Amino acid sequence: MADQLHHDNQDGWVGKEPYWKDAVFYQVYPASFKDSNGDGWGDIPGLISELDYLRDLGVDVVWLSPMFESPQKDMGYDISDYQAVYDRYGTLADVDTLIASCHDRNMKLILDLVVNHTSDEHPWFKESRSSKTNPKRDWYIWKPARYDPDGNRIPPTNWRSYFAGPTWTWDDNTQEYYLHLYGSFQPDLNWENPSCREAIYQDTMRFWLDRGVDGFRIDTVNKYSKRTDFPDAPITFPGQPNQPAAEMWCNGPRIHEFIREMQEKVLTPYNHALSVGELSNTPLPSQVLPYVSAANRELDMVFEFSMIRLGTGGAFHGKYLYQPYPLSELKAHVATWQTFLEGTDAWHTVFCENHDNGRAVSRFGDTSSHKNWEGSAKTIALWQGTLTGTLFLYQGQEIGMMNMPRGWGIEEYKDCESMGFYEEAVASGDQDRIAKTMDGLRILARDHSRLPFQWDGSANAGFTGENVVPWMRVHDSAFEDGLNVKAQKEDEESVLGFYKTVLKLRKEYGELFVHGAFRHLLPEDEALFVYVKEGVESGRRALVVLNFSAEEQALSSRGVTVARALGCEEGEEARLLITTLRERERLGIESPERLRPWEGRVYVNFAEGA
Ligand code: TEU
C-alpha cells in the first residue's frame, strides 16, 4: 500500500483519514474582511473578532491571503518582507494571537505562500539588480537583450505576462532583462539556484511554521521550474509582440523535484504541514495526478482551474472577452474532477470562488431578482456542499455576495490585472474591444470578490466605521436588499442559515458528500444538474438534483424518477433530506419530479419505516 502522506490525527476529528479531507476551509482576504481601526482596510484584529462567526458557520481551517509587508501593487502577492506584517493589517504579535485564537477554537490557520516571485522592493531583488557580480544576481532570472533586424532592442523571448505586456523588463543599471510572469514589479525567483531555494524554505516557510501556522496555500505552485533554453513561444495571435507561453514556464522539467524537495525538507518535518497548491494551466487529470498522488509525496491537494475559468477567453490575451458557455460544459468539468479520484491515491478540492474571480452567484447563478438570487445562492451551496473533495469557501460566499452592480464604472476597479487589460484595450483604440473588455470585467474581474464584506446594513456595511472611506466601495445590496450577515442571522432560512445546514449535513453524511463516488445523470441537460453520490463502504446513496434555470423543470419528462435514480431496493424509500425552498414555498413539492426555478434538492435512500 502506498505510504500515505498523512497528517497525524492530533485532534481525533476523523478515523483513518487526515483531518483536512473532511474539514471546511474558508479564505479570508484581509483587506476586505473587517476593519478594526478605522483606516478603511481590513485587518488581523478584525479577523480575530469574527472567528466565532466562522466557527459557528462550520469552518475548520482559515486560509489567510497575504498579510506580509508589501507595496500592495498586487494586493500583497508582491512581498517585500516575508517576516513582517503589512502595517495596515497589524503586527507579528497580532498574527501570533490569530494562530492561538484559531487553535483555541479547534480551528487551524494556513497562510499564503508566494514564492514564485517577490516584490521588486524585496532586499533580495535590490541586491540582485545592484550588479552582475552580486552573490544574489542568480537568485532572479536575468538575460541579455536581443536585437531585431533594425537593431532595436527586444526582450529575450516573446512571452506574454499575465497582466498584459511582456514577461521581461529592462534594467538600465546592469543592461539586462529580468523575467516576471506577472507584473514588472514581481520579478521571478530563480529556483534553479540551490541557495535561493534554501532561503525560501528558511525565511518564508520555517519562519511561520515555527510560529505555529498549520500549513500553506501555495501560490502558483507549478511555475517554479521554467524551460532553461528560453525559446520563443509559437505565434497564437499574429501581429502581437507577446504570445501566450505557459508551456515554457508551467509544469517545467524540474517542477516535481522542487516540490518534493519542499515537502521533504520543510512540510514533512513539521508534522506534514498542510499544502494546497494553486495549479493553473493544467487541465488534464494525467498532469495533475503526479502533484497529488499520496505516494509521490508532493502536495496534499491542488486547485484546478477548468471550471473557474469558464467564460474567460483563455488565460492570456483576450481573457476578459467574455465567452458564453452551456451548463453542460460546467457539468463536464465537475464530473471530470469528481471521478479523477477513483482508483487513485490522490485527493482534490471543491471550490467555486476565490479572490481572483467574479462571484459565483453572479457567474453561475442568477441575480436578476431577489428570489432568483436567493434560490441560486442556495443551489450553489448545495452543489458545492455535496461534492467529493475538500470544500473551500470564500468570504461572503456564505451570504450570497454578488458582483459589483453593472452600472459601476471602471473607476471602481482597482486590480492591477483589470487595469492591465483595460488599458491594453484603450491603447488599441478599438471601441468595440473596449466595450467588450468592460463587459467581461463586469462578469469576471478579480475586483468583484474584493469588495468589503457585508456585515450589516449601516453606512459602510459594518466593514469599517461609518465615516471612513473604505479602500473599495461597499456594494449597494448591503443596504438596499438586506444582503448582510446581521439580516441573515435573524432569518434561519436565509442563505447564511442554509450554508450552516449544508455544512452540518456535509459532515453528518461525510461518507456520501465528502468521500462518495460520483455518478453523473443527464450530462447533456442544459437546465438540470443531477448526480448520485454513493458511499463506498455502506452502499448508501444520495440523489442531488439542482435546477440551474429560472424555469420549472420536471424530472419525469426526462424519464427520471427519484426512487429509480437513487437505486432504491426493495424495502427502501427515497426521502427528501433537504431543499433550498423556504418552508412556505414547499407546498406542493410532494410531487418530487418537479423542481421550482433555481431549486436544489437532495434525496437519500432509507430503509422503509426507519
Ligand atoms: O494567481 C496566479 C494566477 O496565475 C491566476 O490563476 C490568477 O487568477 C490570475 O489572475 C490569472 O490571470 C496568484 C494569486 O492568486 C493572484 O492573486 C496573484 O495576482 C498572482 O498569483 C501573482 O502572485
Side-chain angles (χ1 to χ4, degrees):
M1 207 186 116
D3 181 11
Q4 291 271 327
L5 183 59
H6 270 185
H7 288 242
D8 293 342
N9 294 320
Q10 311 103 315
D11 300 317
W13 287 2
V14 276
K16 57 187 172 28
E17 295 282 14
Y19 78 87
W20 40 264
K21 292 193 174 177
D22 295 75
V24 173
F25 284 61
Y26 184 98
Q27 182 187 357
V28 171
Y29 197 66
S32 307
F33 193 58
K34 177 131 192 171
D35 177 17
S36 73
N37 63 353
D39 64 359
W41 282 62
D43 48 44
I44 293 163
L47 165 57
I48 294 170
S49 73
E50 294 297 348
L51 286 178
D52 286 333
Y53 164 74
L54 297 182
R55 184 72 269 194
D56 188 48
L57 172 63
V59 171
D60 302 302
V61 185
V62 174
W63 150 24
L64 180 60
S65 275
M67 75 307 159
F68 313 97
E69 188 62 74
S70 160
Q72 302 292 344
K73 290 185 184 161
D74 184 16
M75 292 306 295
Y77 286 89
D78 49 328
I79 297 169
S80 54
D81 184 346
Y82 288 95
Q83 302 186 355
V85 176
Y86 180 55
D87 193 41
R88 283 181 175 139
Y89 293 153
T91 61
L92 264 186
D94 290 332
V95 180
D96 289 341
T97 308
L98 175 64
I99 296 169
S101 307
C102 286
H103 291 168
D104 284 349
R105 288 165 176 79
N106 202 21
M107 291 161 83
K108 294 179 186 288
L109 176 73
I110 63 169
L111 298 182
D112 222 303
L113 181 68
V114 187
V115 289
N116 174 68
H117 45 265
T118 66
S119 161
D120 59 351
E121 293 183 28
H122 194 288
W124 295 345
F125 187 68
K126 287 185 180 165
E127 282 190 50
S128 183
R129 81 184 321 174
S130 67
S131 86
K132 279 188 178 161
T133 53
N134 183 280
K136 293 204 173 61
R137 182 67 171 179
D138 189 46
W139 283 29
Y140 293 83
I141 299 167
W142 294 95
K143 289 274 165 262
R146 293 190 297 181
Y147 292 88
D148 71 11
D150 300 329
N152 300 312
R153 189 183 69 220
I154 54 169
T157 67
N158 64 351
W159 304 349
R160 181 186 163 100
S161 73
Y162 271 99
F163 300 156
T167 56
W168 299 96
T169 289
W170 178 249
D171 179 61
D172 241 351
N173 179 36
T174 54
Q175 297 283 300
E176 279 189 325
Y177 281 93
Y178 64 86
L179 180 79
H180 51 86
L181 302 183
Y182 295 88
S184 60
F185 51 87
Q186 289 162 305
D188 277 49
L189 286 160
N190 181 15
W191 277 68
E192 300 284 332
N193 181 306
S195 43
C196 175
R197 292 207 300 280
E198 190 44 49
I200 291 170
Y201 302 152
Q202 188 58 29
D203 290 22
T204 76
M205 299 182 77
R206 293 191 194 109
F207 176 82
W208 290 103
L209 291 166
D210 283 336
R211 297 189 95 89
V213 306
D214 300 289
F216 300 99
R217 174 267 188 182
I218 309 182
D219 193 62
T220 54
V221 77
N222 52 345
K223 299 174 189 165
Y224 307 151
S225 166
K226 281 90 177 165
R227 269 182 68 168
T228 50
D229 51 347
F230 295 93
D232 269 338
I235 309 291
T236 318
F237 296 98
Q240 299 286 331
N242 307 306
Q243 301 291 330
E247 68 276 22
M248 303 302 169
W249 44 255
C250 214
N251 305 313
R254 295 182 71 189
I255 191 64
H256 293 290
E257 174 195 337
F258 291 157
I259 295 177
R260 233 170 277 147
E261 181 182 88
M262 177 195 266
Q263 177 61 251
E264 190 184 316
K265 287 193 164 171
V266 191
L267 297 168
T268 299
Y270 282 85
N271 199 19
H272 295 298
L274 182 120
S275 55
V276 49
E278 187 204 22
L279 203 74
S280 58
N281 305 310
T282 310
L284 299 177
S286 59
Q287 295 172 294
V288 174
L289 188 59
Y291 287 99
V292 288
S293 146
N296 264 16
R297 307 188 74 88
E298 292 190 21
L299 300 167
D300 293 333
M301 52 194 158
V302 296
F303 298 119
E304 193 283 325
F305 278 4
S306 300
M307 193 200 79
I308 204 90
R309 289 272 191 255
L310 279 171
T312 62
F316 300 94
H317 194 82
K319 176 176 178 190
Y320 290 102
L321 302 177
Y322 187 71
Q323 309 293 325
Y325 56 89
L327 180 70
S328 53
E329 200 177 325
L330 179 148
K331 298 195 299 180
H333 288 309
V334 174
T336 298
W337 296 103
Q338 284 295 292
T339 48
F340 163 67
L341 300 178
E342 285 171 20
T344 72
D345 61 350
W347 191 243
H348 207 52
T349 56
V350 176
F351 70 104
C352 64
E353 284 195 19
N354 60 29
H355 66 295
D356 287 336
N357 290 283
R359 289 289 184 174
V361 69
S362 300
R363 297 179 62 193
F364 310 123
D366 180 344
T367 57
S368 62
S369 68
H370 187 83
K371 201 168 182 325
N372 287 354
W373 161 77
E374 181 171 296
S376 59
K378 289 180 179 177
T379 298
I380 288 169
L382 205 50
W383 166 41
Q384 295 286 294
T386 53
L387 291 178
T388 291
T390 297
L391 178 62
F392 283 76
L393 302 179
Y394 179 73
Q395 67 182 39
Q397 182 183 336
E398 78 277 18
I399 54 170
M401 279 181 68
M402 305 186 281
N403 278 2
M404 291 181 200
R406 284 192 71 83
W408 288 14
I410 189 70
E411 67 284 356
E412 304 297 351
Y413 293 70
K414 312 282 177 215
D415 171 35
C416 59
E417 183 170 290
S418 301
M419 292 307 111
F421 280 80
Y422 186 74
E423 282 161 14
E424 185 181 47
V426 170
S428 76
D430 175 347
Q431 291 307 316
D432 186 49
R433 186 177 179 96
I434 300 171
K436 283 195 175 135
T437 301
M438 195 60 224
D439 186 59
L441 288 171
R442 288 195 169 108
I443 305 166
L444 302 166
R446 311 198 303 177
D447 300 86
H448 300 294
S449 56
R450 303 175 181 188
L451 295 191
F453 192 95
Q454 296 166 204
W455 293 102
D456 61 37
S458 67
N460 275 323
F463 161 70
T464 183
E466 301 207 356
N467 300 318
V468 178
V469 180
W471 79 278
M472 281 191 87
R473 183 170 164 187
V474 175
H475 200 295
D476 310 322
S477 61
F479 337 107
E480 291 170 7
D481 307 315
L483 202 176
N484 62 62
V485 168
K486 185 159 180 275
Q488 294 194 20
K489 263 191 183 164
E490 286 158 10
D491 172 7
E492 271 181 21
E493 296 188 302
S494 63
V495 175
L496 178 62
F498 190 77
Y499 261 96
K500 278 192 209 171
T501 306
V502 169
L503 296 183
K504 278 201 197 97
L505 287 175
R506 180 172 174 82
K507 291 237 161 95
E508 196 183 326
Y509 292 84
E511 191 211 359
L512 298 181
F513 298 144
V514 183
H515 299 272
F518 173 95
R519 193 154 45 82
H520 200 181
L521 305 182
L522 306 174
E524 310 296 332
D525 201 282
E526 299 299 355
L528 290 181
F529 196 170
V530 188
Y531 47 90
V532 173
K533 296 295 299 290
E534 182 158 4
V536 180
E537 274 163 26
S538 70
R540 182 135 214 211
R541 289 175 297 277
L543 173 70
V544 182
V545 193
L546 309 170
N547 183 358
F548 269 71
S549 85
E551 285 85 47
E552 259 199 24
Q553 302 291 343
L555 271 178
S556 47
S557 65
R558 293 159 162 96
V560 176
T561 63
V562 170
R564 213 175 331 121
L566 202 47
C568 284
E569 286 163 12
E570 199 152 322
E572 279 187 339
E573 62 184 4
R575 250 187 243 163
L576 182 65
L577 185 67
I578 186 169
T579 161
T580 54
L581 296 180
R582 285 178 176 260
E583 186 99 45
R584 64 175 145 78
E585 299 168 324
R586 283 183 208 164
L587 271 174
I589 69 162
E590 299 78 35
S591 153
E593 272 76 27
R594 293 196 83 76
L595 273 275
R596 299 277 168 80
W598 289 109
E599 183 195 349
R601 289 185 200 174
V602 179
Y603 292 93
V604 181
N605 60 326
F606 276 90
E608 261 168 34

